[in-house]
Amino acid sequence: MNTTTQQLKHDYLAAMGVTPWFPRVILANAPMPLLQSISSLDPVHLEQQPRLDSQAVIQPGAQAEPLAQRTPVDAVQVPVSSVAPVPDSGATPASDGEAPIRFGLGIYVLGDWLVVSSLVSGHEDSQDGAFRLINAILKAMTGNDYEMKHHHVIAWPFFTNANADQGIKAAQEYVSGVLQQRAEEHHTANLLVLGGVMSKLSGWHSAEGTEYGMKRLVLPSVYRMMSEPMQKAKAWQLIRSAGYGQ
């Protein structure tokens, strides 16, 4: 690049407000500067410029410490005994040796009847049919049409904490409390149970009995009755044996 070309380039940059710059020293393996300052128009050879190698000084007057001479710093470790356990937020400890159980219950109030129905997977798809069958059963038992006053679903377990008690004892206490509350709130006098979940939870061995101050009757699952017509005949026999539908 000749002097005239450099001068023109400098003038153009100055007109645009660009200040020419190039390093005072050449870094290791760095390419030649693309633009020389206006004060040094003569060619500059690399050997005339000081070079910075990989052991360059980091701070003025301070020599970098060689890696081999640096004192290693051990990682800080906290003894396990000094770490306090974090308490669980309101979770009930799991019972020793008691495995979690899973079930679903639909709880309905129709007139003075408290109905507890075992649920199956995908029960939402046949919910309307189940409601109609429950109404038909109660009408066959009492001769009355009932309007739905309350509907509640229990899906067990509903704890998100794996350390919470999800066994049968905890399930019994929870379901019993819910049914007792509904019976008192709606002044129900009769308990109709559909399906085997409640019998297994409560240890019932017969279809008839008295629970929560109410007369109890256990019939087959409404979902089995919907898919297996013979279950309806079995339910009718239990209804007649309990003194209903005469």
Side-chain angles (χ1 to χ4, degrees):
M1 181 180 298
N2 57 37
T3 302
T4 303
T5 303
Q6 280 193 327
Q7 186 63 51
L8 287 174
K9 196 168 190 179
H10 176 76
D11 293 339
Y12 282 127
L13 293 174
M16 291 187 292
V18 177
T19 302
W21 177 91
F22 73 97
R24 291 181 297 172
V25 295
I26 299 177
L27 302 177
N29 301 320
M32 279 287 296
L34 298 180
L35 180 66
Q36 299 288 348
S37 71
I38 193 65
S39 60
S40 65
L41 300 179
D42 297 331
V44 179
H45 300 286
L46 283 177
E47 58 269 17
Q48 296 175 348
Q49 296 290 337
R51 301 181 65 89
L52 295 178
D53 56 20
S54 59
Q55 298 296 327
V57 177
I58 299 176
Q59 294 180 351
Q63 182 68 30
E65 182 182 0
L67 293 176
Q69 297 179 7
R70 294 179 184 174
T71 304
V73 179
D74 295 332
V76 178
Q77 297 183 357
V78 180
V80 176
S81 59
S82 67
V83 180
V86 179
D88 196 296
S89 56
T92 305
S95 302
D96 295 337
E98 189 174 7
I101 61 174
R102 297 182 179 277
F103 62 87
L105 290 174
I107 301 174
Y108 317 100
V109 177
L110 297 93
D112 62 347
W113 283 84
L114 180 61
V115 181
V116 184
S117 175
S118 301
L119 300 179
V120 296
S121 299
H123 64 89
E124 299 88 353
D125 297 335
S126 53
Q127 186 169 260
D128 291 341
F131 286 164
R132 287 195 297 270
L133 182 53
I134 291 173
N135 280 317
I137 291 173
L138 287 177
K139 186 173 183 178
M141 292 174 63
T142 66
N144 298 322
D145 289 316
Y146 295 99
E147 185 176 338
M148 185 81 68
K149 296 166 57 178
H150 177 77
H151 177 207
H152 177 70
V153 173
I154 296 176
W156 188 273
F158 53 78
F159 297 117
T160 57
N161 191 331
N163 293 325
D165 190 346
Q166 301 174 10
I168 188 170
K169 184 177 179 180
Q172 288 171 342
E173 294 176 353
Y174 178 78
V175 172
S176 178
V178 171
L179 296 183
Q180 185 70 45
Q181 180 186 10
R182 299 301 188 275
E184 294 175 357
E185 181 181 354
H186 297 282
H187 307 287
T188 55
N190 302 282
L191 177 63
L192 176 62
V193 179
L194 301 162
V197 171
M198 278 299 302
S199 294
K200 293 179 181 179
L201 277 179
S202 306
W204 299 333
H205 299 289
S206 62
E208 299 179 54
T210 302
E211 308 294 336
Y212 314 111
M214 298 178 289
K215 184 178 180 180
R216 165 178 57 84
L217 176 62
V218 180
L219 300 179
S221 164
V222 291
Y223 301 98
R224 289 195 64 186
M225 284 190 272
M226 291 169 65
S227 60
E228 303 174 25
M230 290 300 296
Q231 294 296 321
K232 293 181 180 180
K234 181 179 178 180
W236 181 246
Q237 292 176 358
L238 293 171
I239 291 170
R240 296 294 299 269
S241 299
Y244 295 103
Q246 302 297 335

